[in-house]
Amino acid sequence: MSMRRVIILGGLLTVGLYAQKPTSGTVTAEVAITGLNSIQIHLVQGARIRYFLGDNLAIRGGFSFDAKRKVLRDYENPDGTGGVGERKETFSAFSLFPGIEYHFAGGEKLSTFAGAYLYLSTSNARTERSNFLDSTYASTFSQVVQGRSSFGQKGTTLGAGLYSGFDWYIAEKLYIGIEWGLLFTSQRKADVVIETSAGGVTTKNIEAGGRESGLSTSAIGSLRLGYQF
């Protein structure tokens, strides 16, 4: 082994030897890493951070926001002249994941923990068609669908979860970890209101929403990589 490799290896071992678990006032952020042949990085429950109130107690919060928009058009004539039909779809969703966790006593580099969190999510969707039916131009057709698009449906989701996991500090302020738990969710889908105008006649229909709930186990990322501020 070359002297350069010995120096690099010794440096890494020294950094890992003095890696410390978080203390009061520490803030951490993390991402999830998946894949073997092709490594991919994902967000953990949106963008998630933790703040340590003490050496053993932390609060955490995560949030995610998703907004999508799609517009399809078709000309009245094949050569691009005449009127233009359009279908516009929008969708947005916002979620919050507040929680609290307790870190058990252990070694200087291993931190095991357990906790609970809430899951709060709301979404909205809309589809508008103007001179557009299916995928072609239609001069006498227009429609507004409030509460649904091809991306999803308007609704709210409430949930609560229990979890446990560990963080292993591999270097100063740098850790890897695994997390798993149980999550109960209750989802309410809003009514979908459809107003259609065709051939000069306007109609309004309402499709009733519904509720569903479920209990599931989960592993949040095959590997979490986090950093202390």
Side-chain angles (χ1 to χ4, degrees):
M1 181 179 293
S2 68
M3 181 59 67
R4 181 180 178 183
R5 291 184 179 179
V6 171
I7 294 173
I8 293 175
L9 180 59
L12 291 175
L13 290 175
T14 301
V15 171
L17 180 64
Y18 291 101
Q20 297 291 319
K21 296 193 299 184
T23 57
S24 178
T26 299
V27 177
T28 67
E30 56 195 31
V31 294
I33 299 177
T34 60
L36 295 175
N37 297 326
S38 178
I39 296 178
Q40 298 179 345
I41 296 177
H42 306 278
L43 294 177
V44 181
Q45 288 187 330
R48 192 170 81 182
I49 61 174
R50 294 185 292 188
Y51 177 79
F52 282 78
L53 301 172
D55 295 351
N56 300 104
L57 187 64
I59 56 174
R60 74 180 193 180
F63 72 92
S64 65
F65 178 72
D66 187 22
K68 299 178 182 179
R69 183 175 184 270
K70 179 171 65 176
V71 178
L72 298 178
R73 293 187 175 93
D74 188 56
Y75 291 107
E76 181 178 5
N77 302 313
D79 61 359
T81 60
V84 179
E86 181 179 273
R87 184 180 75 190
K88 181 172 67 175
E89 300 184 58
T90 58
F91 177 82
S92 62
F94 179 73
S95 301
L96 288 174
F97 311 90
I100 188 168
E101 59 191 38
Y102 181 81
H103 287 247
F104 301 96
E108 288 296 322
K109 294 188 291 184
L110 179 64
S111 179
T112 57
F113 56 85
Y117 70 97
L118 298 178
Y119 176 86
L120 313 170
S121 179
T122 181
S123 60
N124 199 10
R126 182 182 176 92
T127 301
E128 298 180 27
R129 296 179 175 88
S130 177
N131 298 329
F132 196 94
L133 178 61
D134 295 329
S135 59
T136 59
Y137 178 86
S139 61
T140 61
F141 183 86
S142 63
Q143 186 179 71
V144 175
V145 180
Q146 181 59 50
R148 184 174 61 207
S149 71
S150 61
F151 299 114
Q153 187 169 333
K154 180 180 180 180
T156 57
T157 301
L158 301 177
L162 299 174
Y163 62 92
S164 180
F166 68 84
D167 299 329
W168 176 264
Y169 282 81
I170 58 176
E172 188 68 23
K173 296 187 176 183
L174 188 67
Y175 65 88
I176 59 175
I178 298 293
E179 187 174 310
W180 55 89
L182 290 172
L183 174 63
F184 172 80
T185 58
S186 177
Q187 182 181 37
R188 178 184 178 275
K189 294 184 177 180
D191 294 348
V192 177
V193 181
I194 306 172
E195 295 187 16
T196 304
S197 179
V201 178
T202 300
T203 59
K204 180 178 180 180
N205 296 300
I206 299 178
E207 297 180 3
R211 294 178 181 271
E212 61 182 50
S213 61
L215 180 65
S216 62
T217 57
S218 62
I220 304 176
S222 58
L223 182 67
R224 293 183 297 111
L225 177 63
Y227 179 79
Q228 287 187 26
F229 291 94

